[in-house]
């Protein structure tokens, strides 16, 4: 890292209806550094990055790149200046190969700007030429880049077949292909397994050594301490301060973020397990491609008990949860809720048997993004009194209920009528969690419940889950975070290749041992 | 007192913001209409006509007299019903191209109940029974006819666009057979494919004689309100919209998606069937081959122009009705063929569908929400 500043934001202000998302933000990025950006959900991190990438125009403030003031009209401008932004896999076309996706750069650019056709024929012509003539050239360049930065990708692989971690890598290659020397990574580790995250950090270090500057957004304090050169913390649209990892610790970062002390460990009493609530026997489930993803799983959970399912993602956890919530039909085995085998395994029947479900993918299953926050908060109960009375919706009841949950769960939104799509990622997650934890249930199935949440919100939601357990609710917790499992679970089951390979009492569980089981190593 | 003032202020502010939102929603459709008229004017001029005279004639024909107004209302009535039918399916994530066929079936059913039922039953029915029966028959037949592609979609995955198009052919040919055969007006002088006149008791009375405007027109407004209420104030509407917006989330929420798909199509077919039944009972008093040609297709344009919102659909239907009606006078005055209206309507549809063109022409910035790409976990 040098002191040469490559990217600087001065006094950036951005206002959305009802929110001041960025309030006179100053931020700078040096050449060859990894600059971590921390902050509560809704603090304005993504907004700031979208401004630096040219997606939003700031209401006030200046952007300087390599010592010159610039105006970014669209991502095309920022790309020309060497800025690349890596979103999640949504930017890639699943049915195209890696090479095709990277070549599509020019094309997707048009879509990115969502509006005006800004380019002339020449640009189209270039795109066509590129497509017709230079496929091999591009593939070679990709191979070169991959090699140079240790970014292993197969140029001919179909993107849809690749795991999320590799798709993300393709995004990085795409940015590098466009000659980015400033990379913005917005919560890249939220969907990665710890192993994949390690791999990403290795790549980030390599990029840094070659002079690439990286802005890295995350909510995981450990990661920040491990990889960042400098850390900037935002709160409520403002920069609170910039520190180095050497001069701080996790607790201090947490309190900078949320403005109070955060208890990073969960306190809980020993379990008072009661009657059996969920029983699963010999469950076999096929995944979307027809392969058997869950191969004979049996377990049971009692009231007032949290069963944590540990395991590297992709070992059948998703399919298991989908089957338990009626979204996927198992082809063998039995599911009993409160001792009764459900005849009808539809989502509605399971819901009405007293099950709540925090889904893994909040935007796909958990939310109707264009709907108001209030409507999302009654997504599963809209037809029950007091929200639906004799098939007629009761807006008053829905509104006052929504107001209460927004307050209780500290959902940062200008009002209950704002579309869920306008909320920050973490606040979207809070909408889902609030909805699921706030109705009368006896079984909670939570898949990655704190994905994308800040430490303060994680603390709150962990406490809520434990409180629900103490009230006698059975909890099935699936998480890729071993820490989360260790902190919450009373019993831990380890899933590997569609089977439960071990089940232990949480108190006697050893981290290393669980890690080995997760990796398929058996004693 | 102070509190009172404050809440009144809030009330007006919310009214204001609602009006502003409505205007913003209407901006693109209005500009699309404007641009289409402008382009249509160029086409007229290129064809050697006088665009101003043409549009003056169009306006006179549509609004120039009581009779013109009445005829505009008459034209708009089926447009409103059919436009609502199509927009309902758009809200539910479906595309009903079959309104045309559903409408024709609804008309045939209403006509049959209108002229044949008393004979079949062997008794004369009072208006209070006969008219609702005729209209109800149109609704039910339209609903069933549309529910078939809905069920095919829900249970076999067969795409409703293909299936509704195919069923249009079936229904149009079947109707043609019925009107030429079993249901043909037996009057020895009749050479036209049409049904006999329906019973007096099965007719909707006109509002003011001798104008043709009938009670179907206000009914259309009422139904538009009802559709709005259904979509935004009932649990069924919530389900329809949820299935239409995020089908995965609908499944997650326990909504019975397949049932809703079928029901959405059936409701849409019911509205299209109603359009046909109202034409028969309120206007023509019989069904005749060719009477309804095109309503179901124009309805797609109307639904899109009206942004699939019931209020928008009503406005768009009135516009289309006015243009269709005014066109005759325009042709009479300026010899510009009425077909120019189809050109303009096509252009409107083009500009609404490809709103990018309109945005570009009038330099309207895209609302920021549409640019957001960070749909990932980062939010
Ligand atoms: N397109 C938008 N329209 C309206 N409000 C928005 C929009 N995008 C963001 N906001 C608001 O701006 C604020 C900052 O959001 P931003 O997405 O930048 O938060 P964040 O720091 O990235 O949070 P998270 O950690 O949850 O992702 C939030 O209150 C959010 O509701
Ligand atoms: Mg964010």
């Amino acid at each position: 890292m040098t002191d040469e500043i490559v990217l600087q934001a001065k006094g950036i202000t951005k206002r959305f209806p009802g929110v001041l998302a960025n309030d006179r933000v100053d931020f700078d990025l040096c050449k060859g550094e990894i600059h971590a950006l921390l902050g509560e959900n809704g603090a304005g991190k993504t907004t700031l990055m979208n401004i630096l990438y040219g997606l939003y125009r700031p209401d006030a403030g200046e952007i300087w790149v390599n010592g010159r003031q610039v105006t970014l009209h669209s991502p095309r401008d920022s790309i020309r200046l060497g800025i690349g932004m890596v979103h999640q896999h949504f930017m890639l076309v699943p049915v195209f190969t890696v090479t095709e996706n990277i070549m599509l750069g020019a094309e997707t650019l048009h879509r990115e700007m969502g509006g005006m056709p800004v380019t002339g024929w020449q640009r189209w012509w270039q795109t066509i030429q590129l497509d017709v003539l230079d496929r091999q050239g591009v593939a070679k360049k990709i191979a070169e880049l991959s090699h140079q930065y240790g970014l292993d990708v197969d140029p001919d692989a179909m993107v849809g077949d690749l795991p999320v971690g590799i798709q993300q890598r393709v995004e990085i290659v795409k940015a590098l292909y466009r000659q980015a020397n400033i990379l913005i990574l917005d919560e890249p580790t939220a969907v990665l397994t710890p192993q994949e995250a390690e791999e990403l950090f290795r790549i980030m270090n390599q990029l840094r050594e070659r002079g690439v500057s990286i802005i890295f957004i995350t909510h995981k304090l450990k990661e920040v301490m491990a990889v960042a050169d400098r850390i900037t913390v935002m709160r409520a649209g403002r920069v609170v301060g910039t520190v180095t990892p050497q001069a701080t610790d996790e607790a201090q970062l947490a309190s900078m973020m949320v403005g109070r002390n955060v208890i990073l460990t969960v306190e809980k009493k020993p379990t008072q397990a009661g009657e059996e609530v969920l029983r699963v026997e010999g469950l076999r489930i096929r995944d979307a491609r027809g392969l058997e993803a869950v191969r004979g799983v049996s377990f049971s959970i009692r009231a007032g008990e949290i069963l944590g399912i540990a395991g590297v993602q992709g070992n059948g956890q998703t399919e298991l949860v989908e089957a338990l919530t009626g979204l996927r039909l198992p082809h063998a085995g039995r599911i009993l809720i409160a001792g009764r085998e459900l005849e009808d395994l539809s989502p509605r029947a399971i819901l009405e048997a007293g099950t709540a479900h925090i889904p893994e993918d909040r935007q796909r299953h958990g939310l109707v993004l264009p709907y108001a926050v209030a409507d999302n908060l009654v997504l599963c109960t809209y037809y029950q009194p007091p929200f639906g009375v004799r098939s007629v919706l009761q807006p008053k009841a829905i509104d006052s209920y929504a107001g209460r949950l927004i307050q209780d769960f500290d959902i940062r939104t200008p009002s209950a009528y704002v579309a869920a799509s306008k909320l920050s990622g973490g606040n979207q997650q809070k909408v889902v969690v609030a909805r699921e934890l706030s109705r009368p249930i006896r079984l909670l199935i939570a898949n990655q419940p704190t994905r994308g949440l800040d430490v303060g919100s994680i603390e709150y939601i962990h406490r809520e889950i434990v409180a629900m357990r103490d009230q006698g609710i059975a909890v099935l917790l699936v998480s890729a975070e071993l820490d989360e499992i260790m902190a919450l679970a009373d019993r831990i089951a380890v899933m590997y290749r569609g089977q439960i390979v071990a089940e232990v009492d949480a108190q006697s569980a050893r981290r290393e041992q669980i890690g080995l089981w997760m990796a398929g190593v058996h004693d | 007192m102070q509190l009172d003032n404050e809440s009144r202020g809030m009330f007006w502010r919310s009214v204001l913001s609602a009006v502003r939102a409505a205007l913003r929603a209407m901006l693109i459709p209005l500009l699309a209409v404007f641009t289409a008229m402008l382009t249509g004017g160029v086409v007229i001029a290129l064809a050697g006509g006088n665009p101003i005279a043409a549009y003056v004639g169009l306006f006179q024909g549509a609004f120039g007299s009581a009779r013109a107004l009445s005829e505009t209302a008459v034209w708009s009535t089926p447009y409103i019903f059919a436009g609502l039918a199509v927009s309902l399916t758009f809200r539910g994530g479906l595309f009903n191209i079959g309104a045309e066929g559903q409408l024709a079936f609804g008309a045939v059913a209403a006509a049959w109940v209108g002229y044949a039922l008393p004979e079949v039953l062997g008794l004369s029915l009072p208006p209070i029974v006969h008219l609702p029966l005729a209209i109800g028959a149109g609704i039910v037949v339209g609903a069933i006819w549309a529910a078939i592609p809905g069920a095919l979609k829900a249970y076999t995955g067969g795409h409703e666009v293909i299936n509704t198009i195919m069923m249009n052919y079936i229904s149009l040919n079947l109707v043609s057979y019925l009107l030429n055969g079993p249901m043909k007006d037996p009057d020895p002088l009749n050479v036209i494919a049409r049904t006999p006149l329906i019973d007096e008791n099965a007719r909707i009375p006109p509002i003011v004689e001798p104008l043709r405007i009938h009670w179907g027109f206000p009914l259309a407004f009422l139904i538009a309100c009802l559709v709005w209420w259904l979509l935004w104030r009932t649990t069924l509407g919530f389900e329809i919209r949820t299935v239409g917006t995020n089908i995965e989330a609908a499944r997650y929420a326990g909504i019975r998606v397949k049932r809703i798909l079928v029901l959405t199509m059936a409701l849409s077919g019911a509205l299209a069937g109603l359009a046909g039944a109202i034409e028969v009972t309120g206007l023509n008093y019989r069904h005749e081959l060719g009477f309804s040609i095109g309503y179901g297709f124009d309805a797609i344009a109307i639904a899109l122009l009206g942004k699939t919102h019931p209020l928008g659909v009503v406005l768009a239907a009135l516009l289309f009705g006015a243009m269709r009606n005014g066109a005759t006078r325009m042709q009479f005055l300026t010899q510009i063929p009425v077909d120019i209206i189809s050109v303009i309507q096509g252009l409107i549809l083009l500009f609404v569908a490809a709103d990018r063109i309109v945005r570009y022409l009038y330099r309207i910035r895209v609302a920021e929400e549409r640019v957001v790409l960070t749909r990932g976990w980062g939010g």
Side-chain angles (χ1 to χ4, degrees), chain A residues 30-46:
Chain A
C30 295
K31 188 169 172 54
E33 81 162 333
I34 296 177
H35 194 152
L37 188 56
L38 273 181
E40 290 182 286
N41 296 127
K45 305 178 295 292
T46 301

Side-chain angles (χ1 to χ4, degrees), chain A residues 356-369:
Chain A
H357 174 202
I358 299 172
E360 185 180 6
D361 188 337
R362 59 175 169 246
Q363 297 201 333
R364 200 162 86 102
H365 286 118
L367 293 169
V368 182
L369 285 174

